[in-house]
Structure formats: C-alpha cells, structure tokens
Amino acid sequence: MTHVTPGIDSTPPVGSSLGEMDLDVTTAAASSSAFVATADFTLPPVTLTPLPHLADHLKGLPVLPTPIDRSPFYHPSPGFYIGPSDIILRHILFDLSSSESTPSSRLLAYHRAGPRRTVRFKPSAVRAAIVTCGGLCPGLNTVIRELVVGLWEIYGVRQIFGVPSGYRGFYSAKPVPLDPKMVDGWHKRGGTVLTTSRGGFDAEKIVDGIVKHGFDQVYCIGGDGTMRGAVKIFEEIQRSKLCVSITGIPKTVDNDIGIIDRSFGFQTAVEMAQQAINAAHVEAESAVNGIGLVKLMGRSTGHIALHATLSSRDVDCCLIPENDFYLEGKWGLFEFLDQRLKQNGHAVVVVAEGAGQDIIPRTDAQKQEKDESGNPVFLDVGAWLKTELKNWWEREHPGELFTVKYIDPTYMIRAVPANATDNLYCTLLAHSAIHGVMAGYTGFVTGPINGNYGYIPLEEIAVSKNLVDTKDHKWAWVRSVTNQPDFLNIYS
Ligand SMILES: Nc1ncnc2c1ncn2[C@@H]1O[C@H](COP(=O)(O)OP(=O)(O)OP(=O)(O)O)[C@@H](O)[C@H]1O
Ligand SMILES: O=P(O)(O)OC[C@H]1O[C@](O)(CO)[C@@H](O)[C@@H]1O
Ligand SMILES: [Mg+2]
C-alpha cells in the first residue's frame, strides 16, 4: 500500500505494478449545510481500485517517453499528464446524517483516464486491432474512426486493423488495414463499417488469432456480453503471458452497463424515440378514443423508455422491465387508460421491449428460445398489448369507437449516426482508451464516472448492471409526469 496525499505527486517507480493505494481525505462540512451547520466531519479513507498492467506479468517492458512530448503542433501544459495518484470517486452522494448511506469503511476510487508521461509500446511496432460485437448502436463508427485517427495522429501508430464480423472474425476473417483517410467520414454513418455479429465466441481460437496476426493492442467495442468475452480473452492472454493489452469500450443502446454514467449512443436513441412518440401522439389525438402505443428497445432495462418519456411529456404511461404491471382490476393498466380516455380522449403508452414478458402467454419452446449469444428472445410485447387493448375495449365498451396505433421503431433508433453529443462522447472514449493502452494498462474499460473519465477493471464492468431503480428520484419523476399507477397490486 502506498500512502499519498491528494495533490502531491507520489508516483511509484515506473514499471512497478500500479496497485491498491490508500488516500486519506478529511474535509470540513460546508457551512451552508442545514444538518451539519458547523461541525467537522471526516470522510473514510479512499481505496483505489487496482488496474491490471502489462508490467504485472511481463518483466523488462521498456519505459518510453510519450510521443506527445515530441509533437511539433502541441505543447502540453502543466497538469496535462495524468499520474497514478489522480483518481475519481465511485460514489459522490452521501447522507451525512445516516450511518447507512455514509460509507462506514472506505470510499472506492478509480484511476483517472488520460495521457501518461511514459508509454510502454514503441508506436512504430504496434499492431492494433479493433472489433465491434453485439447489436448496433449509434456511434460505433465514430469510436472506430477516433481510435484510428487517435492512434495514428497522437501516437504515430501505423498498423491499425479492423476485425470484421465480431469476435468470430479473429479466427475466421482477414483483418482490414485502416488509416485516417479511409475512416474520415465514418462518424456520419450509422451501424458499423467493420460489421458485427452475436455468438461465435471461443477464447482459445480468438487468442490464437490475435497471436497469428501479431496484434499487441486489442480494442473491443461492445455491450455486456462483449465485456464478459473480453474478460475471458484477457485471462487467456495473462495465462499465456502475452504482450497484448486488451481494453473494452462499452457500447449499449440499452444503457445497461453499470458504474459508468451512461453508454454512447443512448442519447441519440432517446432523441430518435421522440419521433415515434410524436407520431403515436398525433395518431391518438386524431382518433376517437385513440391509443398510441410505442415499443422501444430495452432488453432488461427501461432506460430508453424512461428517458424518452421524460423528454416527451406526451406519454401517459411508461412500462419498463424493472416494474411489473398488470392489465385488469383496480389500478391496473385498463382502468387507468379508461380514465385517461374519458379525461383527454386519447392516451400514449410507451413500453420497453423487455416489459411484461412474464405475463405474455408463451409455449415451452418459446420460453427456451435464445439468440446466438445466449440472450433470451422476447415475444413482441407491443403486438400482444395491442390485441389485449382491443379485446378489453370490445368487452367493456361494445360498439364504441376505439383505435390503437402501434408503432415499433426498434431498429430505427439504433441504426442511425450518433448525434453531436454522442459523437463528442465517442471521441473522448476512444482517446481515453488509447492513452490507457499506450501506458501499458490492460484488462480495463474506459468510461465517465460522475462526469470524469476513468479506467475500470474489465472484470468489474462485466458483472455490473445498470437497471432502472424504481425507488429512486428519476422513477418518481416519471410517475409525477405521467401520474400512472405504481402497479403494486396491493389494492384488491
Ligand atoms: N458470458 C460470455 N462469455 C464469453 N463471451 C460472451 C459472453 N456473453 C456474450 N459473449 C460474446 O460477446 C459477443 C457479444 O455478445 P452479445 O450478443 O450478448 O452482445 P452485447 O455485447 O451484450 O451487446 P448488446 O447486447 O448491447 O447488443 C458475442 O460474440 C457473444 O458470443
Ligand atoms: O435483433 P438484434 O440485433 O439481436 O438486437 C436486439 C437487441 O439488441 C439491443 O438493441 C441491445 O442489446 C436490445 O435492446 C435488443 O433486444
Ligand atoms: Mg447485451
């Protein structure tokens, strides 16, 4: 353990493993705080999460000055380089009056992302591989572009390859050489020019492919499954003591990866969803007893549905996988929509694709269905809901006019180029990943934590989940905007 005081550089000797550190942080309570008006309080010590480094299993790795210092165009200002004592706290909100929410033992921290003074790769010898896996997400091509341009321009790397068809491409496809000219306009294109796939994961074959092609830097862009795969590749690389640094760049339109603030492409998807909600609203408003029903992506999380609902304000009810709902009875969906139709003449329902899966009748075969990566295959909750709504209306209001317009913009919200905010985010992610890899870190993921970019061990990301917390303020906000039932089923 190394004890350092924040602000004082206590850089461990170069080449040593950058392991766990203790940082003691004591601070005074803000005088504006009503609860602790004048009292001092002490925050617990900080534990810095260790980050794997190539030097952990490869002795004698060279320590080279960063090529950034030799750039004729850019002269780093003091404080530009990030040192091993630069950290980001995982949690930043505490209730000092509650022993439960005030961390009693230690505060968790991560290394900050960014350029280091020294690198562990000779740029002219680097052979970098970039792969995209899993479903599409706005910004994939931007990340690829910025990895290529960043490696080329910032560090002078010249051998950069795209691996086609996802993980299987490492052992079944020919890598494609990439350069800045080739990728120049890619950030304006949806999808992934490299192509992607699900399934086909075989750690041994993939590592053999990495060795065969002489790759020493591997950039894996993908979602939770991709990160779990990257952990296995990382373990295999470590077992074989290869000089290969592997990093993950979390991609998921569902925003279901934990620890990081959000994943790239998510904001673009939320923005695209507005068009579908607007159309559903217009259709519903223009009908007699009209219901506009929109199904949005979200396999196990309702983040897109939730954010699209909050941004739109035209939504009467938002259904997400994290919050079970029911149709009939007191405070059920039908009763609620009946009231809304009486009040407003129309209603808009947004449903995440993973919502209600437990109440849709299905055969045993359907229960077993999985995609190539092992993800469960869902039934179409939107189509089912549309039928159920029609049956309910015919039962309860026979002969009265009623319309359900079902809009399923599934692939339209993810098969688009990233918006400006996501493009900027993708650029920062790509550059952060490059800086970490060039510095010799491996088995890590880069992402924003409380607004600043950090490096998180792949193992941690792979098991992390980001579900909508139906007990927090954001979900309470949805309920205050829509006034929808909580579906707790405690009223009968
Ligand atoms: N537990 C796992 N171990 C090893 N490889 C995995 C694992 N889970 C998934 N993979 C592999 O990772 C790749 C991508 O996985 P998946 O299709 O689940 O997409 P994802 O990365 O989760 O992205 P998204 O779900 O956002 O589209 C596939 O090649 C899959 O075989
Ligand atoms: O049809 P595909 O390409 O398998 O992807 C569908 C899934 O991918 C995601 O977009 C991301 O995981 C999910 O929301 C959706 O269930
Ligand atoms: Mg996934």
Side-chain angles (χ1 to χ4, degrees):
M1 300 255 186
T2 315
H3 286 269
V4 295
T5 310
I8 297 174
D9 192 358
S10 68
T11 313
V14 179
S16 74
S17 155
L18 305 176
E20 196 173 313
M21 288 182 189
D22 282 3
L23 305 172
D24 289 326
V25 180
T26 306
T27 182
S31 55
S32 60
S33 161
F35 180 72
V36 276
T38 52
D40 284 352
F41 61 86
T42 305
L43 285 176
V46 172
T47 297
L48 180 56
T49 307
L51 205 54
H53 193 276
L54 285 176
D56 294 344
H57 65 264
L58 292 172
K59 304 300 162 205
L61 206 63
V63 180
L64 306 165
T66 176
I68 298 176
D69 270 343
R70 294 199 305 271
S71 166
F73 310 110
Y74 184 74
H75 305 287
S77 50
F80 172 78
Y81 292 113
I82 303 292
S85 58
D86 285 311
I87 61 153
I88 300 170
L89 287 184
R90 164 89 188 264
H91 301 288
I92 55 170
L93 293 179
F94 308 110
D95 176 356
L96 295 170
S97 70
S98 151
S99 57
E100 268 172 38
S101 64
T102 308
S104 52
S105 49
R106 312 195 66 83
L107 292 175
L108 206 62
Y110 296 105
H111 284 278
R112 268 187 68 195
R116 270 52 183 175
R117 280 186 187 283
T118 54
V119 296
R120 311 309 286 273
F121 287 92
K122 196 172 161 204
S124 60
V126 166
R127 283 175 68 83
I130 305 169
V131 67
T132 51
C133 311
L136 295 188
C137 178
L140 278 169
N141 282 325
T142 312
V143 175
I144 301 166
R145 181 195 190 277
E146 297 309 328
L147 285 173
V148 173
V149 175
L151 279 164
W152 190 286
E153 302 291 353
I154 305 175
Y155 285 101
V157 174
R158 293 292 178 265
Q159 301 177 84
I160 310 165
F161 299 87
V163 175
S165 359
Y167 275 140
R168 68 184 76 232
F170 278 105
Y171 57 84
S172 65
K174 199 164 172 267
V176 184
L178 302 171
D179 62 47
K181 204 166 172 205
M182 191 173 171
V183 302
D184 188 42
W186 286 17
H187 60 298
K188 296 178 186 161
R189 295 169 64 175
T192 162
V193 179
L194 297 184
T195 66
T196 183
S197 70
R198 298 193 189 274
F201 185 87
D202 182 326
E204 230 172 277
K205 278 164 120 178
I206 291 168
V207 174
D208 285 350
I210 290 172
V211 172
K212 184 180 129 196
H213 295 300
F215 297 141
D216 50 11
Q217 297 189 358
V218 178
Y219 296 85
C220 303
I221 313 167
D224 55 341
T226 306
M227 297 303 134
R228 286 192 289 273
V231 170
K232 291 184 181 156
I233 301 172
F234 168 62
E235 287 167 352
E236 193 66 32
I237 287 170
Q238 278 200 313
R239 245 193 311 276
S240 310
K241 295 199 179 334
L242 300 174
C243 184
V244 178
S245 172
I246 179 167
T247 188
I249 302 177
K251 164 245 53 142
T252 148
V253 78
D254 292 354
N255 199 27
D256 55 4
I257 291 186
I259 307 174
I260 59 172
D261 295 347
R262 62 172 197 286
S263 46
F264 73 80
F266 170 67
Q267 290 188 327
T268 305
V270 169
E271 206 168 292
M272 285 302 293
Q274 299 306 306
Q275 294 179 17
I277 295 174
N278 285 345
H281 186 231
V282 169
E283 290 285 347
E285 230 182 2
S286 308
V288 178
N289 295 319
I291 293 205
L293 175 61
V294 179
K295 184 182 76 174
L296 294 174
M297 276 196 169
R299 204 200 292 274
S300 51
T301 65
H303 293 287
I304 297 179
L306 184 159
H307 282 251
T309 295
L310 286 176
S311 346
S312 153
R313 305 294 172 115
D314 283 337
V315 179
D316 291 270
C317 189
C318 173
L319 303 170
I320 59 170
E322 294 88 341
N323 201 44
D324 290 343
F325 68 93
Y326 56 94
L327 304 179
E328 315 261 1
K330 190 84 188 135
W331 304 112
L333 183 66
F334 292 159
E335 185 194 73
F336 169 72
L337 290 176
D338 209 22
Q339 284 165 11
R340 281 291 153 100
L341 291 178
K342 281 196 183 93
Q343 282 162 7
N344 304 332
H346 69 276
V348 175
V349 177
V350 164
V351 60
E353 63 172 327
Q357 293 297 319
D358 292 343
I359 53 174
I360 309 176
R362 68 185 68 212
T363 62
D364 285 343
Q366 283 171 328
K367 280 183 201 158
Q368 305 302 325
E369 223 188 320
K370 299 262 187 330
D371 70 12
E372 298 93 322
S373 292
N375 299 303
V377 172
F378 287 152
L379 296 180
D380 186 343
V381 63
W384 169 76
L385 212 46
K386 179 178 173 177
T387 307
E388 292 295 316
L389 283 164
K390 283 185 154 182
N391 292 344
W392 157 69
W393 189 266
E394 269 164 35
R395 238 175 15 244
E396 298 296 320
H397 306 278
E400 280 184 52
L401 280 174
F402 180 69
T403 303
V404 186
K405 290 288 191 274
Y406 172 38
I407 300 180
D408 177 358
T410 300
Y411 295 106
M412 287 178 63
I413 68 168
R414 71 170 204 191
V416 291
N419 67 12
T421 310
D422 271 326
N423 261 335
L424 170 61
Y425 177 23
C426 291
T427 306
L428 293 172
L429 277 177
H431 286 197
S432 298
I434 295 171
H435 292 313
V437 168
M438 288 300 297
Y441 291 118
T442 182
F444 75 96
V445 157
T446 190
I449 305 160
N450 300 313
N452 284 291
Y453 288 74
Y455 295 143
I456 307 152
L458 256 170
E459 278 115 331
E460 245 188 80
I461 281 284
V463 294
S464 72
K465 278 198 174 14
N466 181 30
L467 298 179
V468 172
D469 181 356
T470 52
K471 294 188 180 64
D472 81 355
H473 292 91
K474 209 183 277 172
W475 185 246
W477 189 18
V478 169
R479 300 225 24 252
S480 72
V481 164
T482 59
N483 276 318
Q484 68 188 66
D486 53 18
F487 299 113
L488 288 179
N489 207 0
I490 53 173
Y491 307 101
S492 46

